[in-house]
Amino acid sequence: YGEITKLIKEVLGDGKLTTGEVAKAIMERKGLDTQDRVLLKTLSYRVMHLLSSSVQRGKVTSVPYHRVKGRAPTRMWEFVKKN
């Protein structure tokens, strides 16, 4: 696994989060400037790609989540609960 994948696992261990929240938490853990909008957007795309792959493998679930009216919906992610 790569560094970003490991960080995603750590961050999502805390519960359900949106793509942007996951990306921002990763930036915080790596000591990066969370006000850097370009970096946040780039990392968000990477996070979305990695988590989408995990959905296909059945490890993560995803649901549409509308935070702000008039803006594109984001996704809410969480690990699949094992019984």
Side-chain angles (χ1 to χ4, degrees), residues 19-65:
T19 306
E21 290 168 342
V22 172
K24 192 169 187 176
I26 289 171
M27 289 175 69
E28 288 170 351
R29 288 179 188 221
K30 290 185 58 67
L32 301 172
D33 179 12
T34 57
Q35 300 303 311
D36 184 340
R37 307 311 277 165
V38 174
L39 180 58
L40 180 60
K41 188 171 185 174
T42 301
L43 186 56
S44 292
Y45 283 125
R46 180 74 180 133
V47 165
M48 188 168 29
H49 174 75
L50 289 168
L51 288 172
S52 294
S53 302
S54 294
V55 168
Q56 292 173 353
R57 290 191 310 271
K59 297 182 182 276
V60 174
T61 59
S62 164
V63 294
Y65 175 72

